Amino acid sequence: MSFVEVNFDGLVGPTHNYAGLSPGNVASQTNYGEVAYPRAAALQGLEKMRVLMELGVPQGFLPPPRRPAADALRAYGFRGSEAEVLGAAAAEDLALFRAACSASSMWRANAATVLAAPDTADGRTHLVVANLASMLHRSLEAQETYALLSRIFRDPEHFAVHAPLPAGRHFSDEGAANHMRLATDHGARGVNVFVHGEPRGGAFPERQSRRASEAAARLGGVQDPVFALQGMAAVQSGAFHNDVVAVANETVLLAHPEAFEDREGLFDELARRLPGLHVVETEGVSLAEAVSSYLFNSQLVSLPEGGMALILPAESCETPSVWRAVETILAANNPINRAVVVDVRESMRNGGGPACLRLRVPVSAAALQGMDRRYLLNAARWEALMRLVEARWPEAIAPDDLADPALWSEALAAHASLEKLIEGFADAPRL
Ligand code: SUG
């Protein structure tokens, strides 16, 4: 049966801003207080989606939830009309209010852990929605993402969408950003690597708990999962997710040498499990350079004509050691034979590169039919989304603007127009 991998990118929401909400995420902390450009951010994301579509890679999109999230604030005791709830929260608990304004759902690599049908006990694709319990603003996404993914992956014959894991921090789960699948091809049985942290007393939080990874593997009935502890130095340099220091696709694992605590043990195990594995490690790229350039947050995608492309953030071209590493990767004997540079600077300034912005879902041709196909992109849908963003997304937001009721109305109206547009996407596009 033929399999494809669909990349579902998060559409950047109209409230994108730099409120410094993620400790341990160097870019989020560094750019706190800067002016953000939501319209430009969403257009950059859409342009990346277009580049992937042009390469012949199937592309979907995931809309943002409604923000500011007055409904979420009601759960904490704020009452009244939407404007009253938001106004009271802004006055009484600014941090909570800012969390309710975040557009962080754009980083859909954190939406869920996706366990591919060939690897699960019942032969269905399992999506375990991430609870994002370690960051307040991100935890607000979880139930909305559960509803969205349940709607899209709707056919129970092909998909099982699991609710976010309960029990908060002890099961802190950040989804696919800490999961790698290696296989001879997308349709073959794969080796699932779950990368996690553990409390080690560093200054930066370790956001993926091993327990959560184990639960995800159990929920999908994944056989022989591999668990790997993130390198301590990597976490404390700002690699708050594994996908900041490693990326895998089919037979290729591209990683920073300090990505994993037990590098040799992991590579030996993977080589034993997957003959034909290419482990590609960089030389001469420091962890600091890896984190500032986001080289390893490139998307690594299989091309229809064979070979793989690395979809790199523009920042990778700006650090000489990083660009030299890219040239070495391209020249070496491995399937990666193309490098394509994309500009997602607005997202990067909050710690999200090309790979953070997408959730990859490998599916069979039959499973594709079991999805709500309005969320698959074709040229016409892409164009319609772009026009909507151009017309309705705010141009600029400084953190203080978040408390302005005019911005709430603008953002909520933009979101309503998006929902209406998607409702009208009736025809199934050709992939
Ligand atoms: O969770 N940034 C996100 C970035 C997530 C990147 N995802 C992956 N690596 N897969 C985070 O830290 C910043 C929000 C702010 O500061 O306003 C933020 O949430």
Side-chain angles (χ1 to χ4, degrees):
M1 199 190 298
S2 72
F3 262 74
V4 290
E5 181 182 80
V6 186
N7 282 284
F8 285 88
D9 274 53
L11 180 66
V12 178
T15 60
H16 160 61
N17 70 92
Y18 299 119
L21 301 177
S22 279
N25 170 341
V26 176
S28 153
Q29 299 303 289
T30 313
N31 294 308
Y32 165 66
E34 296 286 321
V35 175
Y37 297 93
R39 191 184 306 156
L43 292 176
Q44 286 166 2
L46 280 163
E47 180 57 19
K48 173 168 93 71
M49 297 182 221
R50 196 188 61 75
V51 167
L52 271 286
M53 284 160 75
E54 277 204 347
L55 288 173
V57 179
Q59 183 68 50
F61 74 101
L62 296 171
R66 215 166 163 267
R67 293 287 181 273
D71 282 348
L73 295 171
R74 288 183 202 282
Y76 302 107
F78 293 101
R79 296 194 204 299
S81 67
E82 198 154 55
E84 283 165 347
V85 165
L86 294 171
E92 286 177 36
D93 187 344
L94 189 58
L96 176 60
F97 168 75
R98 284 180 169 166
C101 291
S102 178
S104 54
S105 69
M106 73 176 86
W107 299 295
R108 288 296 188 184
N110 304 118
T113 304
V114 181
L115 304 166
D119 311 342
T120 62
D122 60 10
R124 298 187 294 168
T125 304
H126 286 247
L127 296 99
V128 181
V129 176
N131 61 21
L132 290 160
S134 49
M135 298 284 149
L136 175 62
H137 67 294
R138 301 233 52 189
S139 69
L140 301 181
E141 296 164 37
Q143 288 301 333
E144 290 156 312
T145 299
Y146 179 40
L148 176 68
L149 297 184
S150 303
R151 266 205 320 277
I152 298 179
F153 300 98
R154 61 190 173 192
D155 184 350
E157 213 180 295
H158 295 289
F159 299 104
V161 181
H162 300 271
L165 298 173
R169 272 196 124 104
H170 295 99
F171 281 84
S172 172
D173 182 13
E174 309 251 335
N178 300 298
H179 169 250
M180 302 186 292
R181 176 172 195 264
L182 291 153
T184 44
D185 58 69
H186 291 311
R189 172 103 173 253
V191 181
N192 288 270
V193 185
F194 295 85
V195 186
H196 60 88
E198 68 181 23
R200 285 178 277 189
F204 288 177
E206 307 228 8
R207 292 170 58 168
Q208 178 75 29
S209 79
R210 175 166 176 144
R211 273 207 187 93
S213 300
E214 286 170 349
R218 258 194 308 269
L219 284 165
V222 172
Q223 271 191 15
D224 301 324
V226 176
F227 297 98
L229 180 61
Q230 262 203 292
M232 170 78 163
V235 178
Q236 298 311 324
S237 301
F240 55 96
H241 290 137
N242 172 61
D243 69 3
V244 174
V245 278
V247 57
N249 183 56
E250 295 189 328
T251 55
V252 177
L253 169 58
L254 169 63
H256 188 276
E258 292 176 80
F260 311 106
E261 199 60 41
D262 178 14
R263 168 181 168 277
E264 277 173 29
L266 176 65
F267 295 169
D268 284 353
E269 161 101 15
L270 295 179
R272 194 175 56 72
R273 298 270 298 271
L274 188 71
L277 172 75
H278 295 266
V279 175
V280 182
E281 284 189 298
T282 50
E283 271 173 37
V285 176
S286 68
L287 278 171
E289 288 166 335
V291 171
S292 64
S293 69
Y294 263 37
L295 164 64
F296 299 94
N297 201 260
S298 300
Q299 280 175 259
L300 185 55
V301 293
S302 304
L303 298 169
E305 67 271 23
M308 295 183 194
L310 207 49
I311 316 296
L312 300 148
E315 286 76 356
S316 304
C317 313
E318 289 159 14
T319 312
S321 63
V322 171
W323 194 249
R324 271 196 302 278
V326 173
E327 287 174 337
T328 308
I329 294 167
L330 290 175
N333 180 22
N334 66 57
I336 308 173
N337 51 16
R338 262 185 97 165
V340 180
V341 175
V342 290
D343 175 1
V344 289
R345 281 178 199 278
E346 281 293 309
S347 165
M348 284 285 289
R349 287 162 60 78
N350 246 340
C356 301
L357 287 161
R358 60 88 176 96
L359 184 68
R360 21 190 350 192
V361 185
V363 277
S364 66
L368 258 182
Q369 304 301 323
M371 286 170 30
D372 183 339
R373 300 181 70 189
R374 291 176 303 170
Y375 296 88
L376 297 177
L377 275 184
N378 58 12
R381 287 172 182 179
W382 181 86
E383 181 90 23
L385 287 173
M386 199 197 62
R387 283 189 199 292
L388 183 80
V389 166
E390 274 177 343
R392 306 301 296 262
W393 261 230
E395 194 197 340
I397 300 183
D400 288 348
D401 297 340
L402 291 177
D404 179 353
L407 178 72
W408 310 338
S409 310
E410 190 183 1
L412 294 171
H415 187 266
S417 315
L418 173 64
E419 293 213 310
K420 200 155 162 235
L421 180 71
I422 297 170
E423 257 169 48
F425 284 172
D427 298 332
R430 294 170 67 83
L431 278 179

